[in-house]
Amino acid sequence: MKSNQFLSVMLLCCVPILGFGQARSFRDFIVAASSPTNPKASETNFKNAGGTDRFLLSEWGKGWALSRGSELVKDGYAFNFDFEKNELYLRKDDEDMMIVADNNSVRRFVIANGTDSVRFVKSIAIDKTNKVFFQLMGGSTTGKIALLKLRTSKALPVNKNDYARNVSGDYSTQYRSESVYYFVDSEIGVKGFEKITRDELLKLFPQHQAIIVKLVTSKKNIDEKTLIAFTNEVNGL
């Protein structure tokens, strides 16, 4: 069955159990029943196309996504996220076919990674197009402060003169990941950084000096775990 035919059948099956507004939202949510990079939805393709250097998971995972029309997509679907393309992928449990979600229509989503629930949100304070997904590391988008992370993955040029690659015959694309963090605060606005020290954090949030002094014991760059703990404590979480 062609991908557009598959999509039409799937949507027709969903319409009777949804209201008109929700059905329209669900149609907007899913824009393609195939991916130009991974046309099939097997775990092997994720591994061969970059693995966790490019994707959140090397296999499909459980999760849920919320559309702009508040339609919850959860049961019957598996999820993964592509950091190179900033795209959410879904797979219908009974179909070996990748589904690409429309970034404009997804409000937020969560994917389980082992025992962790990885939360993704949008932030118009950072991205005026409101299309980019950021990982919500700590705090709350509706609270005093939120800690967001934008991870990007870029393909590295293939060196055809690499001895090891020539011997193995493996010329698959390799990826490099980079991350930028953002504090989104109701008072100071947005502060982006790759690394931050205790002195810089104190200068940025002098009103939270007691929390910073308690949690940050080194003057070196603050690790991610401590940044999360700081953000959550400011929010009373």
Side-chain angles (χ1 to χ4, degrees), residues 60-207:
W60 289 101
K62 296 295 183 181
W64 56 262
L66 191 69
S67 77
R68 64 185 177 189
S70 298
E71 172 65 22
L72 184 66
V73 180
K74 180 181 178 182
D75 295 332
Y77 291 90
F79 300 81
N80 205 351
F81 186 70
D82 185 344
F83 289 105
E84 181 187 32
K85 296 181 177 297
N86 198 254
E87 287 181 339
L88 172 64
Y89 296 150
L90 303 89
R91 184 191 67 184
K92 199 169 185 294
D93 285 350
D94 57 355
E95 296 283 347
D96 186 25
M97 182 66 69
M98 183 87 72
I99 298 171
V100 184
D102 179 3
N103 283 17
N104 290 317
S105 297
V106 182
R107 291 168 56 186
R108 60 182 181 270
F109 61 91
V110 172
I111 300 178
N113 184 3
T115 58
D116 295 329
S117 294
V118 186
R119 300 172 294 170
F120 289 87
V121 298
K122 293 177 177 178
S123 174
I124 200 165
I126 305 172
D127 168 43
K128 300 304 180 185
T129 68
N130 206 32
K131 293 182 179 181
V132 177
F133 291 112
F134 300 85
Q135 185 177 342
L136 179 60
M137 305 298 294
S140 168
T141 54
T142 59
K144 296 179 181 178
I145 180 176
L147 176 65
L148 306 181
K149 180 169 77 171
L150 177 62
R151 175 184 160 188
T152 55
S153 184
K154 296 181 180 179
L156 299 175
V158 176
N159 180 7
K160 295 296 182 66
N161 295 320
D162 188 311
Y163 176 77
R165 282 180 175 252
N166 289 334
V167 171
S168 66
D170 179 12
Y171 298 104
S172 59
T173 304
Q174 295 180 335
Y175 289 83
R176 179 182 64 206
S177 293
E178 298 178 349
S179 295
V180 178
Y181 296 86
Y182 296 90
F183 280 123
V184 181
D185 182 86
S186 57
E187 296 181 4
I188 70 168
V190 176
K191 169 65 177 179
F193 59 94
E194 293 182 14
K195 298 177 181 179
I196 192 167
T197 65
R198 183 179 68 173
D199 289 345
E200 290 170 335
L201 192 63
L202 283 167
K203 185 177 180 180
L204 189 62
F205 298 108
Q207 70 274 33

